[in-house]
Amino acid sequence: MRAARILGGAFGALVGVLAAAYLAGAIQPTAEGRPGMKLAGELVREPVSDWGFSDADELVELESRAPWGLAHSVTVVCASTGAELYVPSVYREGGGWPEARRWNRNVVADPDVRIRIGGKIYERRAVLVTDEAERSAA
């Protein structure tokens, strides 16, 4: 019985540490490909009319919401055409969209995302680009 209490207490402490890390945004994605959880940074509420500033960052972070409610963030590239910001999903290793990437599956289920550029977070709605001319221009 004592061992069960100790094990239960250790499990509870682990859950508490993970919850605190999640809420504090301590588990961030890396450029090497390790995913993270909730993005930390300053939330920008003003509308953005020109995304050209994003060109200064080779990599940015995108946060999507998993079906069970937790945030899932990844490091991605982006491109802007001024008024529009594009986040491509490239499948170099094969696989199809959206099955081969967790964040793609998440965005299909819930298109509300958060993007961190230069330490600032922008809340947006992802829209799949199906027009080939627009995709080529981006």
Side-chain angles (χ1 to χ4, degrees):
M1 193 60 144
R2 177 174 159 83
R5 272 190 255 143
I6 292 171
L7 186 58
F11 179 74
L14 177 62
V15 169
V17 166
L18 289 175
Y22 175 80
L23 292 173
I27 305 171
Q28 300 296 291
T30 66
E32 293 77 34
R34 188 199 73 202
M37 297 181 85
K38 184 178 176 69
L39 292 175
E42 175 189 343
L43 182 61
V44 176
R45 298 203 181 272
E46 297 81 28
V48 177
S49 59
D50 184 357
W51 290 96
F53 67 91
S54 68
D55 296 341
D57 293 273
E58 186 175 314
L59 298 174
V60 300
E61 294 85 20
L62 180 134
E63 175 188 315
S64 61
R65 182 99 18 224
W68 50 87
L70 291 179
H72 173 77
S73 58
V74 293
T75 302
V76 295
V77 297
C78 69
S80 74
T81 58
E84 301 295 335
L85 180 70
Y86 295 92
V87 177
S89 185
V90 180
Y91 289 85
R92 290 189 184 103
E93 325 65 55
W97 187 91
E99 294 81 20
R101 300 245 191 290
R102 175 177 289 169
W103 74 269
N104 291 168
R105 294 190 309 266
N106 291 348
V107 169
V108 167
D110 180 356
D112 292 330
V113 297
R114 293 168 20 115
I115 301 170
R116 182 170 58 193
I117 303 171
K120 296 183 178 182
I121 297 178
Y122 303 85
E123 294 177 330
R124 294 294 181 260
R125 177 159 289 219
V127 177
L128 178 64
V129 176
T130 57
D131 179 65
E132 192 56 44
E134 183 180 2
R135 186 179 299 167
S136 295

